[in-house]
C-alpha cells in the first residue's frame, strides 16, 4: 500500500493485522506537522466515544505510541480518558498496559497534576493502569515536575484514602513510588500494607521493597530504582513495537487479538481477564502474566 496521506496511514494502522506497519509509521514521523492534528483527533474521538469502531481502536494503539514518541502533550487528557475506561483500554492497549503505558503517560504529560492524580485514584480503572500512573508520578517527581515533598505527602494521603481497601496491584505501585524515590520513612506503611494483604506476596514482599529502596539510596544520583524498573519517556515506536513477537509472520492464528502482546505467549488462548491456568483462582493478568 502506497502511503501518501495521514488517512492512508490510519487505514493501515487499523488493518495491518500481524504485519508491522513500518511504512505508515515512518510516513507519519516524517510528516509530523501534517499528521499530528489528525492523530490527536482520532485519539480524542476514540476516548470520547465518537468513534470506537474496531479499526479505529486498532489504529489508536499505534497512534498513542506515536504521539508519545513526539511528546504531544495535547494527547494527555484523551489518553487518560481512554485508559480510565477499563474495557476500552483493554481493547486498545492490551499487553501494552504493562509494557509501555507508563512511558506513554510520562511522554504526553501536559502539566495537569490533577488529571494524573485522578487516574491514580480512579477505582474503576484497571489496577495496572493506575500503577502505571504511579510510575509516571515517580519519574515526574524525580525530574522535578512535581515537588518531592508534595509527592511524599500525596503518598501518605493515598495510604489512608485510596481504594480499594483490599488486595490490588495499585498498592504495589504505591510501594514502588516510595522505594524508587527513596522514601525510607514510609517503610512502616509498606509493612502494614503487606501485613494486611493489600500488597500481595506474589507481587512484592517487604524484602523486595527493602532491596529496591536500598538500590535507590545507594545511588548518589537517586536514579537506580527508576532505571531498574525502566520508568521513563517513550522514545521509539518502530524500534520498540517492531520487536514484539506478535508482528512476526504466522506467529498467531488471530493477529488482532495477539497484536499488542509484546512477548511470545504460550498461553495465547488465555485472556488477561480470564482465570489463570495455574489454578490460583486469580485473573491471569494478576497472576502468571506478571
Amino acid at each position: 500500500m502506497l502511503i501518501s496521506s495521514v488517512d492512508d496511514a490510519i487505514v493501515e494502522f487499523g488493518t495491518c493485522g500481524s504485519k508491522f506497519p513500518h511504512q505508515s509509521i515512518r510516513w507519519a514521523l516524517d510528516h509530523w506537522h501534517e499528521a499530528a492534528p489528525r492523530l490527536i483527533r482520532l485519539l480524542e474521538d476514540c476516548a470520547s466515544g465518537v468513534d470506537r469502531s474496531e479499526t479505529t481502536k486498532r489504529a489508536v494503539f499505534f497512534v498513542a505510541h506515536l504521539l508519545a514518541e513526539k511528546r504531544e502533550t495535547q494527547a494527555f487528557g484523551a489518553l487518560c480518558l481512554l485508559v480510565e475506561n477499563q474495557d476500552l483500554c483493554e481493547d486498545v492497549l492490551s499487553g501494552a498496559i504493562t509494557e509501555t503505558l507508563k512511558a506513554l503517560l510520562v511522554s504526553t504529560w501536559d502539566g495537569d497534576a490533577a488529571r494524573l492524580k485522578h487516574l491514580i485514584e480512579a477505582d474503576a480503572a484497571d489496577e495496572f493502569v493506575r500503577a502505571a500512573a504511579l510510575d509516571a508520578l515517580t519519574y515526574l517527581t524525580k525530574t522535578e515536575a512535581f515537588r518531592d515533598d508534595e509527592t511524599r505527602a500525596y503518598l501518605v494521603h493515598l495510604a489512608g484514602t485510596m481504594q480499594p481497601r483490599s488486595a490490588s496491584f495499585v498498592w504495589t505501585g504505591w510501594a514502588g513510588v516510595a522505594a524508587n524515590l527513596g522514601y525510607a520513612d514510609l517503610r512502616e506503611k509498606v509493612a502494614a500494607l503487606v501485613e494486611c494483604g493489600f500488597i500481595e506476596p506474589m507481587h512484592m514482599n517487604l524484602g523486595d521493597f527493602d532491596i529496591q529502596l536500598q538500590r535507590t539510596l545507594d545511588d548518589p544520583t537517586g536514579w537506580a530504582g527508576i532505571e531498574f524498573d525502566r520508568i521513563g519517556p517513550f522514545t521509539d515506536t518502530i524500534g520498540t513495537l517492531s520487536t514484539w513477537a506478535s508482528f512476526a509472520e504466522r506467529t498467531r492464528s488471530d493477529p488482532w487479538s495477539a497484536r499488542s502482546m509484546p512477548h511470545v505467549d504460550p498461553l495465547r488462548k488465555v485472556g488477561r481477564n480470564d482465570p489463570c491456568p495455574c489454578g490460583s483462582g486469580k485473573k491471569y493478568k494478576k497472576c502468571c502474566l506478571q
Side-chain angles (χ1 to χ4, degrees):
M1 177 180 179
L2 178 64
I3 307 300
S4 59
S5 71
V6 64
D7 287 323
D8 289 343
I10 289 170
V11 168
E12 186 174 37
F13 292 157
T15 59
C16 64
S18 61
K19 180 181 178 182
F20 187 73
H22 186 284
Q23 183 183 8
S24 292
I25 293 174
R26 187 72 267 160
W27 187 95
L29 292 171
D30 290 344
H31 300 81
W32 192 249
H33 183 72
E34 175 185 347
R38 179 74 176 89
L39 298 182
I40 291 171
R41 188 165 68 251
L42 188 71
L43 173 62
E44 291 173 342
D45 286 349
C46 185
S48 66
V50 171
D51 181 1
R52 290 182 181 169
S53 66
E54 290 304 307
T55 54
T56 291
K57 288 189 286 187
R58 296 171 189 178
V60 167
F61 171 81
F62 296 103
V63 167
H65 288 86
L66 281 167
L67 292 170
E69 178 177 344
K70 299 298 286 188
R71 300 295 187 97
E72 288 289 348
T73 58
Q74 292 181 65
F76 183 72
L79 179 62
C80 287
L81 182 63
L82 185 151
V83 300
E84 189 177 336
N85 182 323
Q86 189 165 168
D87 291 338
L88 179 61
C89 182
E90 188 76 33
D91 284 348
V92 172
L93 292 181
S94 189
I97 294 170
T98 52
E99 290 292 316
T100 58
L101 178 57
K102 59 190 174 186
L104 304 187
L105 293 169
V106 166
S107 291
T108 59
W109 189 61
D110 61 357
D112 189 344
R115 191 70 189 83
L116 182 62
K117 290 178 179 180
H118 176 82
L119 182 59
I120 289 169
E121 298 176 49
D123 192 32
D126 183 280
E127 61 197 299
F128 293 96
V129 167
R130 297 171 66 191
L134 282 161
D135 281 339
L137 175 66
T138 303
Y139 184 87
L140 294 169
T141 300
K142 189 61 182 174
T143 55
E144 301 183 348
F146 283 79
R147 295 198 323 270
D148 188 76
D149 60 340
E150 176 188 357
T151 296
R152 188 190 301 267
Y154 181 57
L155 287 187
V156 172
H157 167 75
L158 290 178
T161 63
M162 188 165 66
Q163 300 296 322
R165 310 304 293 178
S166 59
S168 171
F169 193 77
V170 70
W171 290 110
T172 306
W174 183 97
V177 182
N180 288 332
L181 291 178
Y183 296 164
D185 54 307
L186 297 186
R187 185 182 184 276
E188 288 187 9
K189 291 188 181 297
V190 175
L193 291 169
V194 171
E195 179 66 25
C196 71
F198 285 16
I199 296 176
E200 298 179 272
M202 65 176 295
H203 292 145
M204 177 186 283
N205 58 42
L206 192 57
D208 297 328
F209 173 81
D210 286 340
I211 290 170
Q212 187 73 343
L213 175 65
Q214 198 60 49
R215 180 179 285 118
T216 300
L217 295 176
D218 286 346
D219 178 12
T221 71
W223 279 95
I226 294 170
E227 291 172 352
F228 183 84
D229 281 346
R230 298 179 298 164
I231 304 171
F234 185 81
T235 59
D236 187 356
T237 303
I238 292 174
T240 300
L241 302 184
S242 65
T243 64
W244 288 13
S246 52
F247 289 115
E249 292 183 9
R250 297 182 296 277
T251 58
R252 301 291 192 275
S253 59
D254 181 356
W256 164 238
S257 64
R259 175 194 52 74
S260 56
M261 293 301 293
H263 303 303
V264 175
D265 181 9
L267 299 172
R268 61 185 179 276
K269 293 184 179 179
V270 182
R272 282 165 46 84
N273 288 308
D274 291 339
C276 188
C278 76
S280 67
K282 300 178 183 291
K283 291 182 180 180
Y284 181 41
K285 68 182 181 182
K286 294 184 64 177
C287 193
C288 292
L289 181 60
Q290 290 300 298

